[in-house]
């Protein structure tokens, strides 16, 4: 069973349930001025999703509901897309070695296998997923400004993401969000180097760029703890989802819908 927490505000003599400023103190002192730290580094690394780019949905899993509606409308298929799509990725990951990652083409090969749908239909569904990802993505404006600030200094910029989409699609998403002219794009579906298992940080460490690189991202573990474990500098930003969750409306919506 879950637990509720209550936060009491002694100044207003009021309290909130499952919403408050607990653990948010670290963000109160942060400001736009912090981007000036880039000046002391040669390389600025950015996480992509939920840092530079966010989806126009309240919960990440809602994207599968939107794709399911698109499948029904455009292909006339009443399919439990969410179940099959999640199963396809989970089964595929269980079959691969720990040092391998999956890409969207492999996912839809497995999707065809478990649904019995033809390769042609599955390719159409894959195309709908890619199109919805493009439709839903929007820039996180403050962080894109930081990206442009680093680019204008000028600094070498690398972008890093644990993502099943491949670089051709990710590049289109980035371009749509005004993110261009970076130096290197590391996508785990192509490199098999992930942030969340440290392999990208171990790879960059071999390049001996620890002292000259700072990484910016939203995940406490893969964007802050793991790079700092490997002696990289890192700056943590709150994810777009958590920012929404810590508004009164966002907290109410996410706990009731």
């Amino acid at each position: 069973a879950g637990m509720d927490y209550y936060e009491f505000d002694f100044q207003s003599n009021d309290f909130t349930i499952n919403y408050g400023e607990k653990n948010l103190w670290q963000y109160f002192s942060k400001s736009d001025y912090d981007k000036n730290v880039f000046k002391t580094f040669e390389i600025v690394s950015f996480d992509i999703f939920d840092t530079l780019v966010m989806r126009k949905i309240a919960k990440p899993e809602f994207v599968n509901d939107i794709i399911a509606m698109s499948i029904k409308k455009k292909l006339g298929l009443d399919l439990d897309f969410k179940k099959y799509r999640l199963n396809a990725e989970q089964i595929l990951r269980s079959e691969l070695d720990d040092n391998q990652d999956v890409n969207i083409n492999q996912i839809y090969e497995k999707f065809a296998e478990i649904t019995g749908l033809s390769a042609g239909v599955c390719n159409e569904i894959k195309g709908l997923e890619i199109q919805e990802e493009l439709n839903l993505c929007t820039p996180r404006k403050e962080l894109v400004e930081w990206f442009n600030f680093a680019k204008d200094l000028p600094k070498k910029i690398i972008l890093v993401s644990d993502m099943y989409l491949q670089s051709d699609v990710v590049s289109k998403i980035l371009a749509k969000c005004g993110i261009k002219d970076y130096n290197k794009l590391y996508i785990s579906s192509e490199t098999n180097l992930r942030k969340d298992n440290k392999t990208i940080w171990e790879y960059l460490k071999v390049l001996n760029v620890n002292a000259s690189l700072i990484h910016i991202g939203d995940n406490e573990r893969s964007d802050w703890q793991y790079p700092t474990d490997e002696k990289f500098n890192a700056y943590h930003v709150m994810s777009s989802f958590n920012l929404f969750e810590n508004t009164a409306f966002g907290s109410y919506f996410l706990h009731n819908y």
Side-chain angles (χ1 to χ4, degrees):
M3 297 180 66
D4 294 322
Y5 74 87
Y6 293 74
E7 182 174 299
F8 189 78
D9 187 330
F10 290 95
Q11 292 183 328
S12 64
N13 201 34
D14 200 0
F15 68 91
T16 58
I17 304 174
N18 295 327
Y19 166 75
E21 297 179 351
K22 182 177 181 289
N23 294 333
L24 297 182
W25 60 268
Q26 60 179 312
Y27 297 99
F28 294 158
S29 62
K30 292 187 175 183
S31 72
D32 189 57
Y33 182 79
D34 290 359
K35 66 189 179 189
N36 285 286
V37 73
F38 298 166
K39 294 177 180 178
T40 61
F41 296 94
E42 295 176 18
I43 306 168
V44 182
S45 166
F46 286 93
D47 169 55
I48 299 175
F49 294 95
D50 255 350
T51 299
L52 290 174
V53 173
M54 57 188 180
R55 292 186 179 111
K56 294 179 283 188
I57 50 176
K59 292 182 177 180
E61 58 266 31
F62 285 175
V63 68
N64 285 334
D65 297 318
I66 294 169
I67 296 166
M69 290 188 287
S70 184
I71 292 169
K72 188 171 184 179
K73 180 180 178 180
K74 296 180 179 179
L75 301 181
L77 288 174
D78 193 4
L79 178 71
D80 191 349
F81 172 76
K82 181 185 289 188
K83 181 184 79 173
Y84 289 124
R85 174 63 175 77
L86 292 174
N87 285 350
E89 185 168 348
Q90 288 171 352
I91 293 169
L92 184 59
R93 290 190 182 279
S94 71
E95 294 173 347
L96 296 177
D97 295 334
D98 290 340
N99 63 347
Q100 291 180 291
D101 205 0
V102 304
N103 63 54
I104 194 165
N105 295 325
Q106 295 170 315
I107 290 170
Y108 273 92
E109 288 172 6
K110 183 62 67 175
F111 186 90
E113 183 181 314
I114 65 176
T115 60
L117 294 171
S118 70
V121 170
C122 290
N123 277 331
E124 288 188 80
I125 295 172
K126 178 178 71 175
L128 292 176
E129 175 171 346
I130 290 170
Q131 188 57 54
E132 291 300 343
E133 288 285 7
L134 284 162
N135 292 342
L136 290 169
C137 280
T138 190
R140 189 170 169 185
K141 293 182 180 179
E142 181 184 15
L143 272 299
V144 174
E145 288 174 5
W146 282 32
F147 167 87
N148 287 325
F149 176 81
K151 187 172 67 174
D152 292 342
L153 281 173
K155 298 296 179 180
K156 181 178 180 181
I157 296 179
I158 65 173
L159 306 182
V160 185
S161 184
D162 294 348
M163 172 52 75
Y164 53 85
L165 294 173
Q166 293 171 290
S167 58
D168 58 338
V169 178
V170 175
S171 296
K172 290 178 183 177
I173 290 172
L174 291 167
K176 178 192 173 187
C177 294
I179 302 163
K180 303 175 183 178
D181 302 324
Y182 37 87
N183 298 92
K184 186 73 175 178
L185 180 60
Y186 291 99
I187 305 295
S188 64
S189 62
E190 296 178 346
T191 65
N192 288 320
L193 300 171
R194 292 183 63 89
K195 294 180 298 158
D196 64 7
N197 65 7
K198 291 191 178 184
T199 49
I200 183 63
W201 307 119
E202 291 166 352
Y203 169 79
L204 291 171
K205 188 175 182 179
V206 171
L207 299 182
N208 198 31
V209 295
N210 301 61
S212 59
L213 182 149
I214 184 169
H215 176 72
I216 296 89
D218 69 281
N219 188 282
E220 289 89 347
R221 179 166 293 178
S222 61
D223 288 312
W224 191 86
Q225 181 185 336
Y226 286 171
T228 55
D229 283 349
E230 299 299 324
K231 310 303 180 185
F232 287 97
N233 294 278
Y235 184 98
H236 182 254
V237 295
M238 189 181 290
S239 72
S240 51
F241 176 82
N242 286 340
L243 286 170
F244 178 63
E245 186 179 30
N246 280 282
T247 65
F249 172 74
S251 177
Y252 176 82
F253 180 87
L254 293 171
H255 285 92
N256 289 280
Y257 295 97

